Amino acid sequence: QVQLVESGGGLVQAGGSLRLSCLASGRAFSTYAMGWFRQAPGKEREFVTSILSDSSIYNADSVKGRFTISRDNAKNMVNLQMNSLKSEDTAVYYCAATKFFSSRTTVSSAGEYAYWGQGTQVTVSS
């Protein structure tokens, strides 16, 4: 069982930056794929970005060029650097992890991730 704890959320002005962190409790962190999802009130959970155990990275079109995911296996940590933030980035951001995928093409599907953090609120003001 993997426990994920997120931190770094807060209030930031449009155009600003924020860095989110996710700390995992598992002993096999380096073998897990890690992802970030977000959910705004009244909307469905949305894929943001993911990084696999081989360091392959996948990004949603909405955040390409602005958000960067990274992992530090020695610290059991995954980070999300968010730059050029927009009001539409406002949401609760969730860290997720999984060991197995149905297919390599399903990395953006929330249902593929077995473990989830509690979420951290990101609010971008205009």
Side-chain angles (χ1 to χ4, degrees):
Q1 184 173 332
V2 177
Q3 291 179 299
L4 305 173
V5 180
E6 302 157 354
S7 61
L11 176 65
V12 65
Q13 292 183 318
S17 299
L18 204 61
R19 186 177 180 85
L20 306 183
S21 296
C22 175
L23 184 64
S25 65
R27 294 183 176 181
F29 176 79
S30 63
T31 70
Y32 282 78
M34 304 296 298
W36 286 96
F37 291 76
R38 65 188 182 186
Q39 188 167 24
K43 297 184 179 180
E44 296 182 352
R45 189 163 298 188
E46 175 189 26
F47 170 75
V48 177
T49 183
S50 66
I51 184 166
L52 309 190
S53 59
D54 67 357
S55 295
S56 298
I57 294 174
Y58 299 84
N59 295 301
D61 289 341
S62 60
V63 305
K64 286 181 179 178
R66 299 190 301 121
F67 291 9
T68 303
I69 189 172
S70 61
R71 67 190 300 159
D72 187 337
N73 291 335
K75 297 181 178 180
N76 272 30
M77 184 173 292
V78 62
N79 299 304
L80 180 64
Q81 179 65 47
M82 305 185 294
N83 298 325
S84 301
L85 284 162
K86 307 173 181 179
S87 60
E88 53 262 45
D89 294 319
T90 295
V92 176
Y93 283 71
Y94 296 91
C95 177
T98 190
K99 180 65 177 293
F100 305 103
F101 286 107
S102 299
S103 170
R104 194 174 180 88
T105 62
T106 64
V107 296
S108 63
S109 299
E112 293 291 317
Y113 292 81
Y115 307 102
W116 293 83
Q118 80 286 354
T120 185
Q121 177 71 46
V122 172
T123 302
V124 183
S125 64
S126 59

